[in-house]
Amino acid sequence: FGSSAVCICPVLRVVMFNARKKILKAKGAAPNELEEEVAQALFEIEVSPSSEIKAELRDICIASAKEVEVKKARGDIKAVVISIPYKHWASVRKIQGRLIRELEKKINKRHVVLVAKRTMLDKDFRKNNPGMRIRPRSRTLTSVHDKILDDIVGPTEIVGKRTRVAVDGSKTLKVFLNPKDKEKDNLEDKLASFSSVYAKLCNRHAVFQFA
């Protein structure tokens, strides 16, 4: 009994070390507990013999992970927002639906939302980027928010948008999703999570529904 307890520790250390490789933080930054949990889940999916996406996951890392409170009629829940380095996003996009399903099996009772880590440039971008004369359209506030919106609802797609302006001047963005995906991956139950995550990331109110 004693010997088996002793040999577990080195094995756990190796597993944790390998899982840490799935986190790509700024130099010197330590991952939080949730990021370590997500990295561990990714590593387990990658090494699982039954995994259909192990090859795609080999070079995929996360940049950050955080929880977002989601208000629901049946009781509040939490969504986990996982930020992916932009250079890995094209690979993630190809397996987004399958990866979310596998992560939600590992991260119990929480919806998983995957988004790319994007860099936004304000109108004074030349101060910090003296060699850049023109701000790329992809780095503008509007473009980044639109891309985040696409990321949040993946793997389904947006088929329409409408902005409603209230009497007090407040704006609500209505986002219409592809009705063909309504029954897939429990998406209908995730609409409130999409709204909460978008509000957290972009500080804007949006309502999601199927067209």
Side-chain angles (χ1 to χ4, degrees), residues 27-167:
K27 191 173 182 180
N32 59 39
E33 286 186 18
L34 179 59
E35 288 164 351
E36 290 185 337
E37 181 184 355
V38 172
Q40 180 66 36
L42 279 174
F43 179 70
E44 289 175 3
I45 297 167
E46 182 183 329
V47 299
S48 171
S50 61
S51 175
E52 297 178 353
I53 55 175
K54 58 193 309 178
E56 290 88 344
L57 282 179
R58 197 165 293 135
D59 298 320
I60 292 174
C61 301
I62 68 168
S64 65
K66 59 185 173 183
E67 286 186 331
V68 174
E69 295 283 346
V70 180
K71 303 286 186 184
K72 300 192 73 175
R74 299 194 302 272
D76 297 350
I77 62 169
K78 291 182 178 179
V80 176
V81 185
I82 302 171
S83 178
I84 307 292
Y86 187 75
K87 64 181 181 180
H88 297 158
W89 184 246
S91 299
V92 170
R93 193 68 170 166
K94 295 175 183 177
I95 59 169
Q96 191 171 1
R98 287 180 290 171
L99 180 55
I100 288 173
R101 283 196 299 273
E102 293 301 320
L103 285 171
E104 287 180 340
K105 292 176 186 176
K106 303 280 186 183
I107 305 174
N108 294 330
K109 298 180 180 178
R110 287 174 287 184
H111 291 158
V112 170
V113 176
L114 303 177
V115 296
K117 183 180 180 181
R118 293 185 167 85
T119 303
M120 193 184 306
L121 296 176
D122 60 24
K123 293 180 180 179
D124 297 326
F125 68 95
R126 291 187 184 88
K127 291 181 180 179
N128 297 320
N129 301 273
M132 188 179 291
R133 298 180 61 188
I134 300 174
R135 179 175 57 163
R137 187 183 179 282
S138 62
R139 300 287 188 88
T140 63
L141 176 71
T142 300
S143 178
V144 170
H145 282 185
D146 283 346
K147 292 297 183 183
I148 289 174
L149 203 59
D150 290 333
D151 294 349
I152 288 171
V153 303
T156 189
E157 59 187 10
I158 296 170
V159 296
K161 299 176 192 173
R162 185 182 304 155
T163 300
R164 176 174 292 177
V165 182
V167 178

